[in-house]
């Protein structure tokens, strides 16, 4: 009997406003992936009246995302998942995804979505006309703060310029995944 295909996890890393969600949607259509978004999960868990976008509430959303990722990778061989909705600006956050996926023989492709801070700030300013962005404090100031705290990626990854054409960015990621150049495979831990 042939071995089940390895699951694939594409982790999108980058500042708020860089275009990760737009990229996730386009990439999911192109490769037939499902999206796990921390933001969408958080917004679905909390009734609107209690949605405050606090760090504690964001952590609840992140914990739920990790639980859903764990469940899917455990139950569904060959899953293809895109992780979105969070900057993943800390090295330990990226490593937690890689470690979780590794326990299930999943290959992780880390995609660093990048653009100049002034471009991101302009996108965020334009997005403030949307009440949900204003409520979530998706502001240029927030992006600048996270930019200053962003830790270098010390795992294999691809950096994509989010000022380019979306179709070209998607094809660049697809080609890189096909080469296997940035996959971070980890061996399944014994006893798990």
């Amino acid at each position: 009997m042939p071995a089940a295909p390895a699951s694939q996890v594409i982790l999108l890393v980058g500042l708020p406003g860089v275009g990760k969600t737009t990229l996730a949607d386009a990439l999911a259509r192109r490769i037939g992936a499902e999206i796990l978004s921390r933001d969408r999960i958080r917004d679905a868990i909390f009734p609107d009246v209690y949605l405050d976008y606090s760090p504690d509430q964001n952590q609840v959303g992140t914990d739920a995302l990790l639980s859903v990722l764990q469940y899917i990778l455990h139950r569904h061989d060959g899953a293809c998942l895109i992780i979105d909705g969070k900057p993943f600006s800390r090295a330990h956050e990226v490593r937690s995804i890689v470690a979780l996926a590794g326990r299930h023989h999943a290959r992780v492709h880390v995609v660093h979505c990048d653009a100049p801070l002034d471009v991101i700030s302009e996108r965020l300013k334009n997005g403030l006309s949307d009440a949900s962005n204003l409520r979530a404090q998706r502001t240029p100031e927030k992006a600048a703060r996270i930019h200053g705290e962003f830790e270098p990626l010390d795992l294999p990854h691809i950096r994509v310029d989010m000022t380019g054409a979306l179709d070209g960015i998607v094809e660049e990621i697809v080609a890189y995944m096909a080469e296997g150049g940035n996959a971070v495979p980890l061996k399944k831990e014994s006893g798990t």
Side-chain angles (χ1 to χ4, degrees):
M1 178 178 234
S7 293
Q8 305 283 322
V9 175
I10 300 100
L11 176 61
L12 302 183
V13 174
L15 294 176
V18 75
K20 294 186 305 295
T21 299
T22 301
L23 176 59
D25 291 338
L27 186 59
R29 283 190 303 274
R30 171 65 172 81
I31 64 174
E34 297 297 327
I35 299 170
L36 295 181
S37 167
R38 190 281 309 267
D39 290 346
R40 292 175 188 164
I41 290 170
R42 177 204 55 221
D43 293 357
I45 291 172
F46 289 96
D48 194 53
V49 68
Y50 297 115
L51 199 54
D52 62 19
Y53 304 96
S54 66
D56 288 341
Q57 196 170 78
N58 286 339
Q59 188 60 52
V60 170
T62 299
D63 292 344
L65 180 144
L66 294 172
S67 293
V68 171
L69 178 60
Q70 163 79 22
Y71 180 87
I72 292 171
L73 292 177
H74 177 72
R75 299 285 297 227
H76 301 280
D77 291 334
C80 187
L81 303 166
I82 299 171
I83 308 295
D84 178 37
K86 177 176 170 58
F88 291 97
S89 59
R90 305 290 187 180
H92 76 273
E93 296 170 332
V94 174
R95 289 197 172 281
S96 71
I97 297 290
V98 170
L100 189 157
R103 290 192 294 272
H104 300 281
H105 295 291
R107 295 172 58 88
V108 179
H109 303 275
V110 180
V111 178
H112 182 190
C113 303
D114 201 11
L117 192 54
D118 61 330
V119 170
I120 293 170
S121 293
E122 191 62 32
R123 289 176 182 173
L124 289 170
K125 281 182 204 170
N126 293 337
L128 288 176
S129 59
D130 181 336
S132 65
N133 285 334
L134 190 58
R135 188 171 169 197
Q137 301 169 18
R138 289 177 45 87
T139 64
E141 295 77 20
K142 182 177 185 177
R145 178 184 55 77
I146 294 171
H147 180 265
E149 300 168 349
F150 221 95
E151 295 177 0
L153 286 172
D154 59 354
L155 293 170
H157 64 279
I158 181 174
R159 182 194 163 278
V160 294
D161 180 358
M162 295 298 291
T163 62
L166 184 59
D167 289 344
I169 296 166
V170 166
E171 292 309 315
E172 182 180 357
I173 294 167
V174 168
Y176 204 69
M177 288 174 61
E179 294 170 5
N182 71 325
V184 183
L186 290 182
K187 300 295 180 200
K188 188 171 182 177
E189 296 172 9
S190 60
T192 59

